[in-house]
Amino acid sequence: MNTQFEELKMYESFDELANDVLDLANEILPEQMFYLTAFTDSQQVILKLSNQKSSIQITENMVVDLSNSVCGRIDFEKNQPLLYEDVKQDCDVEEVEKLLDDVNIRSYLGIPISLTNGEKFGTLCAVNDEASLLDSRSIALLQRIVKLFSYYLELERFVWRDMLTELYNRRYLTKFFEDRVNEHGALFFLDLDGFKNVNDTYGHDVGDVVLQEVASRLQHIANEHGEAFAVRIGGDEFVLHFAHAASQETWRTLANRIIETLSAWDTAYHVSTSIGIVTYTTDECATLDMLLKQADEALYRAKSSGKRTFKFVHEPY
């Protein structure tokens, strides 16, 4: 599971709007084949195709390593399209020419799609199996369409993300469990130790910085597990969800690592964390409310036993 693509499935009217984007693009350049893509840190996924040409070897749901993707070479920082009207004439990078030639693309236009925070979303691409003249007005119109599409993505993102930390929010966690029954995994329910003292001593602005740094560290841990994501429940409470089975010893090792990671601060202020852990299996048909309640009880016992520690459900003090 990749959480970014799982999130897209929750976006209201995403398929309809993506199809509209491609239809509008085709009205501007009817001879081109268009497709929308999305990026992860290492891959590009073809989300939607329009006006498909059988000669071009690109299909929906196709996954490409960004290192082998021409779209990965687009300048997102300057928000500039990448254009080859005739790959064999315009492209002076042999590797790029070969990548396009392998899928029978002779002309290529890649327009970057970014969120307002600078995060890369993906691209809108126009390709053809023969050389094409693409005028600046048409490219400018496509860029305006992409800009409107990015506004839609931003609005949807706010529905499923915490505004301060940009982690997933409780609504996302709830929808995730509604859409997936009879699976297995673990919830780590975290509460920060010493966070109130940071707010009281240094102010809420510093407290917000702490929450953002904690979120960044939790996201890094989640990124190391292919089936994991981090959630800010509210205040200084967070959840790490892992959608796979593991031994209790594996969970213990991970919990100790999380505590160590969140306890290291090279500042005058510092926090740590306590964790309540609940695991579930495919046979239990566990609900999110039940799991959070159990994890919260385990978290309370962890806090009561001295903080900066963890407890499993049903584990004694």
Side-chain angles (χ1 to χ4, degrees), residues 90 115 128 132 137 167 169 295 307:
D90 302 340
L115 303 179
N128 208 332
S132 306
R137 181 177 179 274
L167 295 182
N169 57 24
K307 301 181 180 180

Side-chain angles (χ1 to χ4, degrees), residues 112-159:
I113 305 174
S114 299
L115 303 179
T116 56
N117 65 358
E119 182 179 339
K120 299 176 184 178
F121 173 82
T123 57
L124 172 66
C125 296
V127 296
N128 208 332
D129 56 5
E130 57 187 37
S132 306
L133 293 177
L134 304 179
D135 62 283
S136 58
R137 181 177 179 274
S138 295
I139 295 174
L141 286 172
L142 292 173
Q143 287 179 290
R144 291 176 67 180
I145 292 173
V146 161
K147 190 173 185 179
L148 291 172
F149 184 60
S150 69
Y151 290 157
Y152 158 79
L153 293 172
E154 198 76 26
L155 290 172
E156 284 286 1
R157 184 181 177 87
F158 288 150
V159 172

Side-chain angles (χ1 to χ4, degrees), residues 71-264:
C71 294
R73 291 162 169 78
I74 292 175
D75 191 337
F76 277 80
E77 289 188 9
K78 294 182 179 179
N79 197 35
Q80 291 298 310
L82 181 61
L83 172 63
Y84 300 115
E85 291 182 317
D86 186 339
V87 172
K88 296 188 181 301
Q89 298 294 325
D90 302 340
C91 183
D92 56 3
V93 181
E94 184 177 344
E95 181 185 5
V96 171
E97 182 178 349
K98 184 179 185 309
L99 289 173
L100 293 173
D101 188 58
D102 285 346
V103 290
N104 199 34
I105 290 176
R106 182 72 180 267
S107 71
Y108 169 91
L109 170 65
I111 299 176
I113 305 174
S114 299
L115 303 179
T116 56
N117 65 358
E119 182 179 339
K120 299 176 184 178
F121 173 82
T123 57
L124 172 66
C125 296
V127 296
N128 208 332
D129 56 5
E130 57 187 37
S132 306
L133 293 177
L134 304 179
D135 62 283
S136 58
R137 181 177 179 274
S138 295
I139 295 174
L141 286 172
L142 292 173
Q143 287 179 290
R144 291 176 67 180
I145 292 173
V146 161
K147 190 173 185 179
L148 291 172
F149 184 60
S150 69
Y151 290 157
Y152 158 79
L153 293 172
E154 198 76 26
L155 290 172
E156 284 286 1
R157 184 181 177 87
F158 288 150
V159 172
W160 306 106
R161 298 272 183 167
D162 173 62
M163 294 284 288
L164 177 64
T165 65
E166 296 193 359
L167 295 182
Y168 289 118
N169 57 24
R170 184 164 184 156
R171 182 175 181 176
Y172 177 88
L173 184 63
T174 300
K175 188 69 166 66
F176 182 91
F177 270 83
E178 286 176 353
D179 292 345
R180 292 159 188 80
V181 295
N182 298 329
E183 293 192 1
H184 48 232
L187 282 178
F188 284 42
F189 199 156
L190 294 80
D191 183 86
L192 300 183
D193 306 322
F195 181 71
K196 182 178 184 302
N197 183 60
V198 171
N199 273 338
D200 292 345
T201 305
Y202 299 98
H204 289 275
D205 287 344
V206 173
D208 287 349
V209 171
V210 170
L211 292 174
Q212 289 170 332
E213 176 61 24
V214 167
S216 176
R217 297 181 190 187
L218 292 178
Q219 187 62 57
H220 180 75
I221 291 172
N223 288 343
E224 293 177 346
H225 298 77
E227 298 184 337
F229 58 87
V231 177
R232 184 187 179 203
I233 296 295
D236 61 338
E237 292 183 334
F238 298 85
V239 163
L240 276 171
H241 175 263
F242 301 92
H244 61 269
S247 66
Q248 190 172 82
E249 188 57 38
T250 297
W251 297 131
R252 286 182 179 276
T253 300
L254 181 56
N256 280 320
R257 186 190 162 209
I258 293 169
I259 291 171
E260 181 181 350
T261 298
L262 296 189
S263 299

